[in-house]
Amino acid sequence: MKKHSLAGTCGIPTDAQRIYIPVDANGADDPDHGPSDPVTIHWPDGRSWKVESIYTRQEFGRAIFGNLCVRYDVCIARQRKTVWWEHGDWFVERGGGMAVMPG
């Protein structure tokens, strides 16, 4: 159930700042605990990156309130990048530096 978003608070990008992307995860989303960890990130132009490691996973809000947003700081092509998950959708921040060339 999609409820109140925390967009624009706690450093979470607003809707206008988001680029939604497909992400392969290592399992199904859990309604009580959010997404499974990302494995591969796909860019809209067809490029994709393997997630080499996950530095941090930080939750904002709560699933019980319908406003859970999860931030992942990951290593992609030997660079630290941030991807977000909210309401079953993955996104990056516009201008957040995700347009690196695959390694």
Side-chain angles (χ1 to χ4, degrees):
M1 172 183 285
K2 190 170 183 177
K3 295 199 177 184
H4 175 73
S5 172
L6 295 176
T9 64
C10 304
I12 301 169
T14 64
D15 288 335
Q17 296 170 314
R18 296 179 182 191
I19 298 172
Y20 289 92
I21 57 171
V23 171
D24 298 334
N26 66 2
D29 292 350
D30 180 335
D32 295 323
H33 298 100
S36 294
D37 293 341
V39 176
T40 306
I41 296 173
H42 303 277
W43 198 246
D45 66 6
R47 294 179 289 163
S48 63
W49 296 273
K50 186 94 171 145
V51 174
E52 297 165 8
S53 63
I54 297 172
Y55 296 115
T56 61
R57 179 186 192 274
Q58 186 175 11
E59 294 186 6
F60 301 89
R62 298 285 179 259
I64 194 167
F65 299 129
N67 66 352
L68 179 64
C69 186
V70 182
R71 173 189 171 137
Y72 283 93
D73 289 319
V74 299
C75 180
I76 298 171
R78 296 185 217 145
Q79 297 181 31
R80 189 179 191 124
K81 302 295 176 182
T82 301
V83 293
W84 299 84
W85 176 94
E86 184 181 52
H87 305 301
D89 296 316
W90 290 90
F91 59 93
V92 295
E93 185 173 7
R94 189 176 306 281
M98 278 297 295
V100 299
M101 294 304 293

